[in-house]
Amino acid sequence: MSSALKYVARRADNERNMIISDEQVERVVEYLHTPEEYGARRQVALSAAPASEFVDHIVAMLQRTPDVRQDRVAEAREMLCGHLPDSDVVAGKLIGRVLSDSLR
């Protein structure tokens, strides 16, 4: 992988742009292999339902949020200008995301 692509991958990971880190993937894999060890941590008492005003506020915020963030699209286009990401990096991130999402 070129140094420019490594820089872009590191930058994207470090900016908390919803890109799963290698450490997060390792934790997911560890959990999937030994879920019984994490059972006690999962047992959290649920509190009362949130106030309807709070729910209404969140719903309103989500309705104002665009489906596609044009700033992120522009940033991705800029990063890809002339450079295609390494297929192994893309595959690794996709697999990591699928593993992480499977726990939700």
Side-chain angles (χ1 to χ4, degrees):
M1 180 182 343
S2 73
S3 61
L5 286 177
K6 287 180 184 176
Y7 168 76
V8 169
R10 269 195 321 273
R11 181 173 163 231
D13 281 341
N14 292 336
E15 288 182 355
R16 299 177 192 263
N17 289 324
M18 300 295 294
I19 297 175
I20 192 164
S21 70
D22 292 338
E23 180 182 351
Q24 290 169 316
V25 173
E26 289 173 15
R27 288 181 182 177
V28 168
V29 171
E30 178 185 334
Y31 170 78
L32 290 173
H33 284 292
T34 58
E36 62 279 350
E37 292 180 21
Y38 293 87
R41 295 181 194 172
R42 252 186 315 174
Q43 297 171 352
V44 176
L46 296 177
S47 61
S52 63
E53 296 86 18
F54 176 71
V55 173
D56 292 342
H57 176 71
I58 297 299
V59 169
M61 285 178 54
L62 290 173
Q63 288 174 338
R64 290 190 305 264
T65 304
D67 290 333
V68 176
R69 288 185 47 195
Q70 294 302 323
D71 60 323
R72 297 286 290 141
V73 172
E75 183 181 340
R77 284 188 176 140
E78 197 175 299
M79 285 198 273
L80 290 174
C81 189
H83 298 94
L84 291 177
D86 183 59
S87 59
D88 289 336
V89 172
V90 173
K93 293 294 180 182
L94 286 171
I95 291 169
R97 174 54 53 197
V98 168
L99 287 172
S100 176
D101 289 349
S102 72
L103 297 180
R104 292 184 186 187

